[in-house]
Amino acid sequence: MTFWNSMFFKTKALFSAIRKGSTMSIFDKNILPYKKLDSNLKIVKDKIGKPLSLTEKILYSHLEDPANQDIERGVSYLKLRPDRVAMQDATAQMAMLQFISSGLKKVAVPTTIHCDHLIEAQIGGVEDLKRANIDNEEVFSFLKTASAKYGVGFWRPGSGIIHQIILENYAFPGLLMIGTDSHTPNGGGLGGLCIGVGGADAVDVMANFPWELKCPKIIGVHLTGKMKGWTTPKDVILKVADILTVKGGTGAVIEYHGPGVDNISCTGMGTICNMGAEIGATTSLFPYNCRMADYLKATSRCYISEEAAKYSESLLTPDKGSNYDQLIELDLTSLEPHVNGPFTPDLAHPISKLGENAKKNDWPVEIKVGLIGSCTNSSYEDMARCASIAKEALAHGVKSKIPFNVTPGSEQIRATIERDGIAQILRDFGGTVLANACGPCIGQWDRKDVKKGEKNTIVSSYNRNFTGRNDANPATHAFVTSPEMVTALAIEARLDFDPTTKSIKGADGKEFKLSDPFGDELPHKGFDPGQDTYLAPPEDGSSVSVDVNPKSNRLQILEPFEAWDGKDFENLIILIKVKGKCTTDHISAAGPWLKYRGHLDNISNNMFLTATNSENNEMNKVKNQETGDWGGVPDTARAYKAKCLQWVVFGDENYGEGSSREHAALEPRHLGGRAVIVKSFARIHETNLKKQGLLALTFADAKDYDKVQPSDKVSLIGLDQFTPGKPLKCILRHADGSSDDILLNHTFNEQQIEWFKSGSSLNRMKELAD
């Protein structure tokens, strides 16, 4: 289909939507749900009888049974009906394999797949995309044909990053969406409640089952004032991360409100919501306002802004007097630019203190690479403001001293910044424009400038900077900040350069100070949509063939996990007692392993590769408790599985933080794991473990972690009495013959206990469907 033909059909769909009563997007037939949501909300408000926050309004208006649902923050499990599902290509593989195994014919809600994770940054956008299409042909073909067969919209490789595509085309105020990526909350910038989940959750919704979410607590962030100078929306979330830490938002939604909201662009609000994933928040959102209306109009959705305006007070803004479980006051006027890191996104440094802190902690002050873009900061406004800095530097004969990588968030952003000359300014500055994809942000980076193990510093406008995240080098000190600050720092290539106070020497030897960055929020000429990269599913996909080669090393049809046998777990072996931070990256590495996301057995070879073993403080080295030999974690797990020996993992605080990847739960289950026992869990990972039939348990007394010895045999007693709210008994039998009895808490409800008994949530879904 030619570009102009594509635009004709999109325009036709748009006018048709207006005539029919406004669809959720120009790609959907489903009508905007405001009327139904407003009706549901009235039922709940009559029952509750008190002012509601915006979070509560959107959640409760999507309840399956608003009249009879128990509602208590932090306690009740809400049964919800999301408006749509979105999946990126790495997680969509397993989700679609699970959906196929369910035997259902078509997805029940609007669903899309976005090819953004499997494109490795190496040379530049055009070359890297060509190589990715060749290297991943089998996977892309599977996703394309599965989408056509089961009624899923398919965004081809090169379309852009899932979250930017959602913001441009699908997000709307009041939306409830789930996405199989932890940064799904990006849609909160357009007033949607967009929540990251595992693939099994997505399958439930696609299969027309209600989606279950523990009623979240709500943290209010009251914004006042107006940003000035070098301060950006990114600094808002960097400061909130400093306040709440990486686990401070767990079990809560972050709801921004107050007069300062209107001083932030729609895409800026998206940036703030996107990185809310780094503080463990269920999601983040902003109330509907004029900045959202402007963005909707700019992205050809004026009809949505008109409909949203009708429900602004009743549905899309918080009631006066609404209650928050915690309230943070933040004055945008006094907020200083921040740079956070290394190794964790909540270690915050005002730019005025960064150089001093780096020298004090012996972090490399010299910056090796600067990277801007990603799903967090790749809007037109971001790119325009960076170009203003680059243009001023070039006027003085100065450009980036280091490799400077630019990742456009979508094909629409790429085409628009090319048309408006922004991309060329960034190239002249020394930049390389990469493909419209995740790239280095998720470890898809063929980095050549340093050797693995070489201590170095990089600075990016990304959202996540855990050890080895970007380049698989544990010695890389990664810092996250605004794209404007990355651009400025690239000029001097040092952490101790503060562009707000220090000058730069131009090519003529004269010193100059950078002006405050500036750029248009939205393009004056409108957005250029670029190449047509969307493939709509046929009305009837029943004749489409989806083949999975049994000899493939990339895709593998799933076999059901075994159901619980009704007995207690006796004398489980400890595979590993993890020490310290253990993110989903530690449990299931990304980067080169992304290629195996559709093949459970192959990707299981990356299990716990970078988790620290408490027994020896080493990574990927555990003792086989049967033979006494030391070996890699996945190899040892396979050895236990070969002997039908089941095992357990022990972990520390906020276990499983980070990405939504359900492989971090699938792999332990596949290789013989039965339980994960930790001090505390990150929300998504805890749910993913439950979905795969694993026991997700926490120490009733966190000090009991210290009683666990790697050579212990572990028994979990009383499983026949497994009920919500009742702790389980655990016996630690030590090698010297002594033992410790401890209690383990859990958050399983009755439905989740049935998942455990059936062997997985998918098994249970099949039982209910029969």
Side-chain angles (χ1 to χ4, degrees), residues 618-637:
E618 294 189 43
M619 295 185 292
N620 198 31
K621 188 175 182 181
V622 295
K623 180 184 286 187
N624 184 315
Q625 299 299 330
E626 292 292 295
T627 66
D629 297 329
W630 290 87
V633 184
D635 298 329
T636 304

Side-chain angles (χ1 to χ4, degrees), residues 284-361:
S284 304
L285 82 165
F286 282 80
Y288 181 62
N289 68 354
C290 61
R291 308 299 280 269
M292 295 182 190
D294 291 343
Y295 186 77
L296 286 167
K297 292 171 186 175
T299 51
S300 303
R301 292 175 289 170
C302 182
Y303 69 96
I304 293 182
S305 66
E306 292 171 357
E307 284 297 305
K310 299 174 186 177
Y311 296 90
S312 178
E313 185 175 344
S314 63
L315 184 64
L316 304 177
T317 53
D319 291 333
K320 291 182 180 179
S322 56
N323 178 52
Y324 298 100
D325 296 283
Q326 181 179 349
L327 185 63
I328 296 171
E329 295 283 351
L330 197 57
D331 177 16
L332 299 178
T333 305
S334 61
L335 181 63
E336 186 178 349
H338 277 64
V339 181
N340 286 21
F343 307 124
T344 185
D346 59 350
L347 183 56
H349 316 278
I351 185 62
S352 59
K353 302 291 184 183
L354 177 62
E356 176 187 335
N357 291 346
K359 292 169 185 175
K360 187 187 303 180
N361 289 282

Side-chain angles (χ1 to χ4, degrees), residues 599-734:
H599 197 294
L600 179 55
D601 193 57
N602 282 346
I603 198 170
S604 293
N605 289 321
N606 76 354
M607 188 179 72
F608 290 110
L609 290 186
T610 57
T612 300
N613 181 8
S614 66
E615 189 172 9
N616 53 12
N617 291 319
E618 294 189 43
M619 295 185 292
N620 198 31
K621 188 175 182 181
V622 295
K623 180 184 286 187
N624 184 315
Q625 299 299 330
E626 292 292 295
T627 66
D629 297 329
W630 290 87
V633 184
D635 298 329
T636 304
R638 287 187 186 278
Y640 291 152
K641 183 178 180 180
K643 293 184 177 181
C644 298
L645 299 173
Q646 297 179 327
W647 45 265
V648 63
V649 167
F650 285 92
D652 216 315
E653 294 278 7
N654 206 30
Y655 180 92
E657 68 176 284
S659 169
S660 68
R661 69 193 65 162
E662 64 184 333
H663 296 76
L666 280 161
E667 293 172 32
R669 183 75 163 102
H670 173 64
L671 293 184
R674 295 305 306 171
V676 177
I677 303 168
V678 300
K679 293 180 182 178
S680 64
F681 283 107
R683 175 190 63 86
I684 299 176
H685 187 61
E686 181 180 20
T687 300
N688 285 346
L689 291 169
K690 293 176 182 179
K691 286 275 185 177
Q692 302 308 331
L694 281 155
L695 288 175
L697 307 170
T698 56
F699 295 103
D701 182 349
K703 296 186 184 67
D704 287 340
Y705 171 88
D706 298 324
K707 295 178 181 178
V708 178
Q709 300 173 23
S711 58
D712 288 349
K713 294 295 177 66
V714 180
S715 296
L716 300 175
I717 308 300
L719 291 178
D720 59 337
Q721 301 295 317
F722 190 15
T723 53
K726 182 180 179 181
L728 291 174
K729 180 181 177 182
C730 173
I731 302 174
L732 303 172
R733 294 188 173 91
H734 308 306

Side-chain angles (χ1 to χ4, degrees), residues 33 40 83 116 238 244 328 351 417 533 572 585 588 663:
N40 284 352
D83 299 304
D116 63 359
L238 293 176
L244 289 175
I328 296 171
I351 185 62
I417 65 173
T533 54
L572 299 176
D585 284 78
S588 176
H663 296 76

Side-chain angles (χ1 to χ4, degrees), residues 382-596:
D382 289 329
M383 296 298 172
R385 285 169 61 89
C386 290
S388 77
I389 299 167
K391 189 174 181 179
E392 184 174 16
L394 290 167
H396 289 272
V398 174
K399 61 181 185 178
S400 176
K401 287 184 178 178
I402 53 178
F404 185 73
N405 292 325
V406 180
T407 303
S410 68
E411 170 60 11
Q412 179 167 276
I413 292 295
R414 183 208 63 78
T416 306
I417 65 173
E418 287 286 1
R419 181 200 67 194
D420 293 351
I422 291 173
Q424 190 56 51
I425 292 172
L426 296 175
R427 288 193 189 94
D428 293 343
F429 181 68
T432 299
V433 179
L434 302 175
N436 314 321
C438 299
C441 184
I442 60 163
Q444 284 285 51
W445 184 17
D446 185 21
R447 189 180 180 192
K448 303 290 189 183
D449 63 300
V450 297
K451 296 178 181 179
K452 192 168 184 178
E454 183 179 338
K455 193 175 178 181
N456 74 102
T457 286
I458 64 172
V459 181
S460 80
S461 68
Y462 301 162
N463 44 39
R464 194 160 280 168
N465 62 340
F466 300 136
T467 303
R469 166 78 177 185
N470 304 122
D471 60 2
N473 180 4
T476 293
H477 293 56
F479 293 83
V480 291
T481 185
S482 68
E484 295 94 324
M485 190 57 67
V486 174
T487 307
L489 290 174
I491 297 172
E492 293 289 352
R494 293 185 61 83
L495 290 179
D496 55 4
F497 171 62
D498 179 356
T500 69
T501 59
K502 292 186 177 180
S503 297
I504 299 167
K505 183 178 288 188
D508 59 2
K510 296 179 180 179
E511 294 199 343
F512 70 98
K513 187 172 175 291
L514 289 169
S515 304
D516 293 345
F518 65 93
D520 292 329
E521 178 180 341
L522 297 165
H524 287 303
K525 299 178 184 178
F527 283 108
D528 182 340
Q531 300 178 43
D532 183 26
T533 54
Y534 176 70
L535 188 62
E539 285 293 327
D540 181 5
S542 58
S543 62
V544 177
S545 176
V546 181
D547 295 321
V548 176
N549 186 338
K551 295 183 180 180
S552 171
N553 71 349
R554 299 287 300 272
L555 297 165
Q556 180 186 47
I557 295 296
L558 294 173
E559 295 292 333
F561 292 130
E562 73 280 4
W564 176 54
D565 63 6
K567 301 176 182 177
D568 287 339
F569 291 144
E570 295 278 2
N571 296 318
L572 299 176
I573 293 173
I574 298 176
L575 175 66
I576 183 172
K577 180 185 176 184
V578 178
K579 178 182 178 181
K581 185 184 285 285
C582 188
T583 71
T584 48
D585 284 78
H586 292 89
I587 306 168
S588 176
W593 291 95
L594 284 171
K595 69 176 73 172
Y596 299 120

Side-chain angles (χ1 to χ4, degrees), residues 220-224 255-261 285-287 318 324 327-328:
V221 179
H222 185 246
L223 300 177
T224 56
E255 183 174 312
Y256 294 86
H257 62 285
V261 167
L285 82 165
F286 282 80
Y324 298 100
L327 185 63
I328 296 171

